[in-house]
Amino acid sequence: GALVEDDYSDLIFPDKVIRVRLKNNMLPAYFWHLLDTPYLRAQIESFARTAVGNYAIGGKDIWKFSFPLPPLDIQQTLVTAIGQARAEAATLRQQANQLRAQARRQIEAALLGQDGTAAAG
């Protein structure tokens, strides 16, 4: 899925993208997050048809999807929470990468000696 937050008059969508214009009772970001859930992915796949090995669904199939539609304020709360959780996860991944690199440097220093020469054994 792709979320285009602004409408551009000259924006062209490739043939594998379905433009969805939502009603006022659904936030685009909420729908975008729904598209990424296993629950909705399973529905998308159930509607998929193939021609020459390329799977696709029709624009009308989108309106057959079943999903929860809470009030707008709840949708916004969920979108915000998901954004915060993803930001926290990105920070944790970055910290893990830094710790992994630090551990590698420490192991290398222990094996080779602090000055880069092989430690006597």
Side-chain angles (χ1 to χ4, degrees):
L3 176 62
V4 179
E5 294 181 340
D6 295 314
D7 195 13
Y8 301 96
S9 61
D10 59 348
L11 187 62
I12 298 172
F13 293 89
D15 64 345
K16 291 296 178 188
V17 173
I18 299 172
R19 184 176 189 171
V20 178
R21 290 183 187 257
L22 301 170
K23 297 179 181 176
N24 292 335
N25 64 344
M26 183 181 291
L27 297 176
Y30 176 76
F31 184 67
W32 183 58
H33 287 303
L34 278 174
L35 288 173
D36 199 30
T37 64
Y39 175 75
L40 206 54
R41 297 301 306 171
Q43 290 183 60
I44 292 168
E45 290 174 14
S46 74
F47 283 107
R49 295 174 293 282
T50 183
V52 198
N54 294 323
Y55 286 90
I57 65 169
K60 293 179 182 176
D61 293 328
I62 291 171
W63 304 113
K64 298 175 188 173
F65 295 161
S66 171
F67 49 83
L69 186 58
L72 290 172
D73 60 331
I74 302 295
Q75 291 178 41
Q76 185 59 57
T77 299
L78 292 169
V79 167
T80 301
I82 291 168
Q84 289 172 344
R86 288 184 174 174
E88 290 172 15
T91 299
L92 290 172
R93 277 192 299 276
Q94 182 181 15
Q95 290 171 352
N97 287 335
Q98 291 170 349
L99 288 170
R100 214 175 352 266
Q102 179 183 354
R104 254 186 245 115
R105 287 190 301 273
Q106 289 173 340
I107 290 169
E108 186 174 301
L111 294 173
L112 300 177
Q114 292 295 332
D115 62 357
T117 61

